Amino acid sequence: DIQMTQSPSSLSASVGDRVTITCRASQSISSYLNWYQEKPGKAPNLLIYAASSLQSGVPSRFSGSGSGTDFTLTISGLQPEDFATYYCQQSYSAPRTFGQGTKVDVK
Amino acid sequence: QVQLQESGPGLVMPSETLSLTCTVSGDSINTYYLNWIRQPAGKGLEWIGRIHTSGSTNYNPSLKSRVTMSVDTSKNQFSLKLSSVTAADTAVYYCAREQRIAPVGNGYYYYGMDVWGHGTTVTVSS
């Protein structure tokens, strides 16, 4: 199985900040990497697929990069609605695996 | 607009079988995977497994011996059964559609879980 490791587990930020979350795969997954946003009491929402492609309807302040084993999710200009937990997930092979999540809260 | 809705008992006795249904509305079941994911309170997402609309399955190795998934295209429904449950199986259970989002080339595609149900809470307790 491919293990996904996110860092940090949590971070505190302010509105307007640039936030970066990293995700590392235990083996190369090319660009088969998705990012999801989860808010309390709501189901996760697909933000980015193929490591860097924005899902329809997702604001352009979200961006993703990376390939192979190392990936990054960046939020450029954090907005109040962006305080949430973010998960990476590999779509390279089954079983699908998620990172442990990164909670972004208010500084 | 495709929507997914999980349903099933909110309380299951230890050692019994948890049974959930995911009903698809807004479209007929086409060619995609239906994933089951769970989330214990305060914890991260755990992938349980998935079933293709053709009926092929992939399961989490840690749960494989206890999991059965099926699809009923005539009812637009998918089902999950998890046997011999314990308190550790208490969680919010989600179903999520996983489909091709973009081509990679050479017949390969990028996949993503683009539609999720709202989730249903299952508690294992006597």
Side-chain angles (χ1 to χ4, degrees), chain A residues 34-102:
Chain A
N34 300 324
W35 288 98
Y36 299 85
Q37 177 193 63
E38 184 184 42
K39 296 181 179 180
K42 298 286 187 68
N45 180 50
L46 178 64
L47 294 177
I48 288 172
Y49 63 93
S52 61
S53 296
L54 220 56
Q55 175 70 341
S56 176
V58 174
S60 59
R61 62 181 179 272
F62 291 92
S63 63
S65 64
S67 67
T69 60
D70 294 313
F71 303 88
T72 300
L73 172 70
T74 300
I75 310 172
S76 300
L78 194 69
Q79 295 300 301
E81 60 268 30
D82 301 335
F83 292 102
T85 301
Y86 294 86
Y87 293 91
C88 61
Q89 175 247 324
Q90 61 84 14
S91 61
Y92 181 82
S93 66
R96 298 307 201 214
T97 43
F98 291 90
Q100 79 277 20
T102 296

Side-chain angles (χ1 to χ4, degrees), chain B residues 86-105:
Chain B
T86 69
D89 296 309
T90 294
V92 176
Y93 285 74
Y94 295 101
C95 57
R97 182 182 76 174
E98 181 184 19
Q99 66 170 354
R100 297 173 174 179
I101 296 183
V104 179

Side-chain angles (χ1 to χ4, degrees), chain A residues 21-45:
Chain A
I21 299 168
T22 63
C23 177
R24 174 165 289 176
S26 60
Q27 67 181 71
S28 177
I29 57 171
S30 184
S31 295
Y32 292 89
L33 191 282
N34 300 324
W35 288 98
Y36 299 85
Q37 177 193 63
E38 184 184 42
K39 296 181 179 180
K42 298 286 187 68
N45 180 50

Side-chain angles (χ1 to χ4, degrees), chain B residues 56-119:
Chain B
S56 65
T57 56
N58 302 106
Y59 297 145
N60 185 326
S62 68
L63 299 169
K64 186 174 183 177
S65 63
R66 299 195 289 130
V67 173
T68 304
M69 296 180 184
S70 61
V71 56
D72 186 337
T73 54
S74 67
K75 295 183 178 179
N76 265 20
Q77 289 181 337
F78 297 86
S79 69
L80 166 70
K81 294 187 185 300
L82 181 65
S83 64
S84 305
V85 297
T86 69
D89 296 309
T90 294
V92 176
Y93 285 74
Y94 295 101
C95 57
R97 182 182 76 174
E98 181 184 19
Q99 66 170 354
R100 297 173 174 179
I101 296 183
V104 179
N106 293 327
Y108 289 91
Y109 289 84
Y110 291 110
Y111 282 77
M113 299 180 199
D114 64 340
V115 179
W116 292 63
H118 294 297

